[in-house]
Amino acid sequence: MSARVLVVDDVLPNVKLLAAKLTREYFDVITAFNGPEALERIKKEAPDIILLDVMMPGMDGFEVCARIRADPTTMHIPIVMITALSDAADRVRGLEAGADDFLTKPVNDIALFARVRSLVRLKMMMDEWRLRESTSGQFGILDQTTTVKNETAANARVLVIEDSPIDLDKIAETLRRDTDSVVAADTSAKALDLGMSEDFELIIVSLTLLNEDGLRLCSQLRSHERTRQAPILLIADEGDLSRVAKGLELGANDYLLKPIDRNELLARVRTQVRRKRYHEKLRHNYEQSLSMALTDSLTGVFNRRYVSAHLPRLLERSWESQKPVAILMFDIDHFKAVNDTYGHGVGDEVLREVANRTNRNLRNFDLVARYGGEEFIVVMPDSDRDAAYAVAERLRRRVGEETFTVSADVGEITVTISIGVAVVDGVGDTAEAILKRADDALYQAKRSGRNRTVASGVAEAPVG
């Protein structure tokens, strides 16, 4: 996963070292050497994440962080403070200023790369939710939402998985400064039972469980619909950063190293709860906005009107960030024959199932819309032609290789789709132009025999 990283440090060797490490991991690196320059670069370059030194002359990292968080146009960019300061009070000060994490020099590469990737994934998801809400607001449906900073963290319901009575008491006692709703479990089985039956705004998982695998529990929590969106805070020993990094890859949101500092624990918990509540508010506002004017009543996906409003905004963001956007346009092969043979009721069943299979085989921030009749569109941010083509082929196989269960006497029918792929050509590329290229590619796929994918500007591949 590529991302634009801003490295801010007043010491040139530090900047060069970090930039070299990040470049080797295929990140796009930009640099700044003081606070004012960093704020200027943020405005011009729109980084995906900021690695910010604390000890800088003039404007230190705490002030830079506070200014970033105070500006509505930059406040959602993840910030990792990197400094020689190792005192817990400094980490708490950084977290309270709005930092997402606080890494101590010399920086552990495993922790650094895992944290960057985790925060960039979170930013991509939040960016898409804000953009969708903004698109919906264009129709005059939504009120302005609050920000993460303004959300309260009080009275959160927290699940703690810890089998050390001493650590559990310390965690629970600390959390009770903000809430009385702390639920404890000492095994993965108990934790999963609680997670399936109750809603939690934060789950704290110890990686030092004696007879349990905390990482496997993280994976299980992320695989269940009810716990998938709950933030996870890991508790680990200082020498266990490799497992922490794996936990972040599995979907954990943050971590705290033992010995537990009460103030740092509370600061990290508050950050995660505020972010969770902000995300839920975005999701609620967004779902409230999905009226019949914006969605297809048959399939539940977006309709053409929503795409017409959303796509130009997404393209503007693509030009600013210099990241690709891909469009998949597909329709159901011989759909008229389905209606003529089995009736329009069966045709509706096929449309709904095609929409369901499409949603199941995309990222949660990709957009699916019914463009009209049996024609659908998928909008894929941050996806180049090769990635989009691979997704299109996977989707084509998921639709065509598994029969559709229908209410007609025949019981099951086979359905295939043809797909056209197009990507943004560059700054100024319009929604009309990219849709036209996708439509032309779809037409070529249909003309070439159907049940195939054709990418705009690429020779067609055989059906496989």
Side-chain angles (χ1 to χ4, degrees):
M1 175 178 54
S2 180
R4 182 174 294 114
V5 184
L6 172 61
V7 177
V8 186
D9 198 312
D10 62 316
V11 179
L12 180 59
N14 290 345
V15 173
K16 287 186 173 181
L17 179 61
L18 262 181
K21 290 180 177 180
L22 291 162
T23 301
R24 283 200 301 271
E25 294 294 314
Y26 304 103
F27 291 104
D28 180 17
V29 181
I30 54 178
T31 60
F33 296 92
N34 54 62
E37 184 184 2
L39 295 174
E40 183 177 347
R41 297 302 297 272
I42 292 168
K43 289 285 189 181
K44 292 182 177 179
E45 303 286 348
D48 295 301
I49 189 169
I50 301 164
L51 305 184
L52 178 63
D53 184 35
V54 172
M55 305 297 290
M56 296 185 294
M59 185 187 300
D60 66 15
F62 297 120
E63 183 177 351
V64 174
C65 184
R67 292 197 181 194
I68 294 169
R69 290 292 180 250
D71 186 340
T73 64
T74 62
M75 63 184 303
H76 303 297
I77 303 174
I79 300 172
V80 177
M81 287 189 163
I82 298 180
T83 179
L85 300 174
S86 58
D87 190 78
D90 294 311
R91 292 197 296 274
V92 173
R93 183 184 174 192
L95 294 168
E96 290 178 344
D100 294 274
D101 205 352
F102 199 104
L103 300 180
T104 304
K105 297 177 182 178
V107 177
N108 180 286
D109 289 354
I110 295 175
L112 172 65
F113 298 140
R115 205 69 186 99
V116 168
R117 293 188 178 102
S118 172
L119 288 170
V120 168
R121 282 196 301 269
L122 176 65
K123 179 179 181 291
M124 288 177 63
M125 180 184 70
M126 296 296 283
D127 281 351
E128 184 62 20
W129 277 112
R130 282 192 296 273
L131 182 62
R132 291 187 184 185
E133 191 204 32
S134 175
T135 302
S136 301
Q138 179 179 323
F139 299 103
I141 299 169
L142 297 178
D143 295 326
Q144 288 294 321
T145 187
T146 185
T147 64
V148 175
K149 184 178 180 181
N150 293 333
E151 288 290 336
T152 177
N155 299 317
R157 188 162 176 78
V158 182
L159 173 61
V160 182
I161 300 94
E162 175 62 81
D163 58 6
S164 165
I166 295 175
D167 287 336
L168 178 59
D169 287 346
K170 187 173 185 178
I171 293 170
E173 182 183 345
T174 301
L175 296 184
R176 289 193 182 103
R177 299 182 194 177
D178 283 353
T179 180
D180 293 327
S181 299
V182 179
V183 180
D186 57 3
T187 68
S188 296
K190 290 179 182 178
L192 289 171
D193 285 343
L194 287 166
M196 295 303 104
S197 59
E198 304 178 35
D199 292 323
F200 295 96
E201 293 181 282
L202 177 67
I203 301 175
I204 298 177
V205 178
S206 173
L207 295 184
T208 61
L209 299 170
L210 291 178
N211 300 311
E212 302 279 345
D213 186 345
L215 290 180
R216 184 172 298 280
L217 175 58
C218 288
S219 176
Q220 292 170 326
L221 290 169
R222 283 292 173 258
S223 68
H224 290 289
E225 184 65 30
R226 183 144 188 176
T227 55
R228 184 169 296 157
Q229 301 300 327
I232 298 174
L233 172 65
L234 303 176
I235 304 289
D237 287 329
E238 189 170 353
D240 209 8
L241 284 176
S242 61
R243 296 186 75 227
V244 168
K246 185 64 176 177
L248 293 173
E249 290 178 9
L250 290 171
N253 300 78
D254 199 1
Y255 66 93
L256 178 65
L257 299 179
K258 293 183 178 181
I260 297 170
D261 178 85
R262 293 179 185 272
N263 291 327
E264 183 178 358
L265 170 63
L266 208 54
R268 291 186 183 275
V269 167
R270 287 169 177 168
T271 295
Q272 293 305 319
V273 171
R274 288 192 184 105
R275 186 177 289 151
K276 165 71 171 173
R277 290 178 174 178
Y278 175 69
H279 184 196
E280 288 301 314
K281 186 165 290 187
L282 281 178
R283 182 193 294 270
H284 174 74
N285 286 348
Y286 170 69
E287 290 173 350
Q288 288 290 103
S289 76
L290 298 183
S291 66
M292 293 299 294
L294 302 177
T295 57
D296 176 54
S297 59
L298 176 65
T299 62
V301 300
F302 294 107
N303 61 16
R304 185 168 186 156
R305 182 182 181 188
Y306 187 87
V307 172
S308 298
H310 178 80
L311 188 54
R313 290 167 175 259
L314 185 61
L315 293 184
E316 288 178 10
R317 195 176 75 186
S318 170
W319 305 334
E320 293 170 359
S321 64
Q322 300 178 28
K323 291 184 177 180
V325 173
I327 298 290
L328 312 184
M329 182 178 287
F330 68 89
D331 72 8
I332 300 170
D333 297 327
H334 304 295
F335 185 68
K336 185 177 184 299
V338 173
N339 282 330
D340 291 346
T341 304
Y342 306 108
H344 288 275
V346 169
D348 289 349
E349 294 170 11
V350 168
L351 288 169
R352 282 193 290 266
E353 179 59 17
V354 167
N356 289 337
R357 293 189 189 186
T358 302
N359 275 318
R360 289 198 300 267
N361 285 280
L362 298 171
R363 301 168 299 182
N364 59 5
F365 52 83
D366 293 328
L367 182 150
V368 182
R370 185 182 175 194
Y371 207 54
E374 69 272 26
E375 191 170 60
F376 291 80
I377 282 181
V378 177
V379 181
M380 301 177 60
D382 199 18
S383 299
D384 59 20
R385 181 179 282 106
D386 290 342
Y389 186 88
V391 170
E393 277 292 275
R394 182 179 68 208
L395 176 60
R396 183 183 63 80
R397 288 192 292 270
R398 293 293 186 273
V399 171
E401 293 177 357
E402 181 181 343
T403 58
F404 283 56
T405 300
V406 295
S407 59
D409 292 339
V410 68
E412 294 182 342
I413 62 174
T414 298
V415 175
T416 63
I417 60 175
S418 300
I419 307 177
V421 179
V423 297
V424 174
D425 273 347
V427 175
D429 197 10
T430 66
E432 292 78 10
I434 189 173
L435 289 171
K436 178 64 165 56
R437 293 197 299 275
D439 188 51
D440 290 344
L442 171 58
Y443 179 75
Q444 183 179 345
K446 303 287 279 189
R447 187 179 55 191
S448 302
R450 295 182 170 83
N451 190 22
R452 65 187 64 227
T453 300
V454 173
S456 176
V458 178
E460 71 174 80
V463 175

